[in-house]
Amino acid sequence: GAGVSQSPSNKVTEKGKDVELRCDPISGHTALYWYRQRLGQGLEFLIYFQGNSAPDKSGLPSDRFSAERTGESVSTLTIQRTQQEDSAVYLCASSKTRGGGGTYNEQFFGPGTRLTVL
Amino acid sequence: QKEVEQNSGPLSVPEGAIASLNCTYSDRGSQSFFWYRQYSGKSPELIMSIYSNGDKEDGRFTAQLNKASQYVSLLIRDSQPSDSATYLCAVYYSNSGYALNFGKGTSLLVTP
């Protein structure tokens, strides 16, 4: 089956502009995660969605970042008034369900969106 | 703060040798452990998951988990140049929400 898809693959924007990144999870996966990876750095958790439950926004670095997801489908990550420090690869992952043990929380990543803020 | 520690490397091994990658974690409450492979410029790819103490083998890969000592390792047998990548260790902590905690990765270089 199809994996996680993300669009656009690359985005170049000017400082101060808003950007919207899209993630389409694996069909049947109820949990969706956004991570950020700065050049040469590790993965940084941003936000998590599980079905219709309230999202876990604990990783969002500032109020310029927001994300939405309708049900168990597509998610969008929006960054308002972009700054140069927002330049990174934004990765989306999905898993069958949340937490717990076993294979249900194996996370599968999309190809990422490389964001460059000039 | 949940810590996942890995040696950044680079770890260099000759083709055909066994590559051993190690990871330690800080919290005994962890439940699930994962190894991801990340090629330069690409996204992480799940290669192994392990949930119980002991060894788990999948092809040339063996994951080892020791919860008492709080470490997890990945062995790659018969290493190939195509195995050259950064290997990320990820740990799921039941008390820290639902995100994985990632180490910063170990860079592996397999030389022909």
Side-chain angles (χ1 to χ4, degrees), chain B residues 48-111:
Chain B
M48 288 289 286
S49 57
I50 187 165
Y51 310 104
S52 304
N53 278 327
D55 295 0
K56 179 182 177 182
E57 186 175 317
D58 184 0
R60 294 186 298 113
F61 298 99
T62 298
Q64 299 175 318
L65 175 61
N66 185 322
K67 289 187 178 181
S69 300
Q70 295 175 232
Y71 83 78
V72 57
S73 62
L74 179 70
L75 301 178
I76 306 175
R77 290 182 300 281
D78 188 24
S79 295
Q80 300 297 309
S82 58
D83 295 326
S84 298
T86 296
Y87 289 80
L88 305 174
C89 173
V91 177
Y92 170 70
Y93 294 106
S94 60
N95 296 324
S96 67
Y98 305 105
L100 289 175
N101 291 269
F102 282 86
K104 294 187 177 180
T106 298
S107 176
L108 173 66
L109 177 64
V110 180
T111 56

Side-chain angles (χ1 to χ4, degrees), chain A residues 33 35 37 40-43 45 48 56 91 98-112 114, chain B residues 31-32 34 36 38 41-46 48-49 51 56 88 92 96-105:
Chain A
Y33 314 78
Y35 294 88
Q37 188 173 33
Q41 301 297 309
L43 273 73
F45 166 71
Y48 155 83
D56 176 0
L91 292 160
R98 68 179 181 187
T103 62
Y104 287 93
N105 63 333
E106 290 180 343
Q107 295 184 20
F108 297 90
F109 284 84
R114 182 175 300 277
Chain B
Q31 296 183 338
S32 307
F34 306 89
Y36 286 83
Q38 187 172 29
K42 301 295 185 181
S43 63
E45 172 192 9
L46 179 66
M48 288 289 286
S49 57
Y51 310 104
K56 179 182 177 182
L88 305 174
Y92 170 70
S96 67
Y98 305 105
L100 289 175
N101 291 269
F102 282 86
K104 294 187 177 180

Side-chain angles (χ1 to χ4, degrees), chain A residues 74-91:
Chain A
V74 170
S75 174
T76 56
L77 176 69
T78 301
I79 308 173
Q80 296 178 310
R81 305 182 302 282
T82 53
Q83 304 294 312
Q84 289 182 331
E85 70 230 32
D86 299 334
S87 295
V89 176
Y90 289 82
L91 292 160

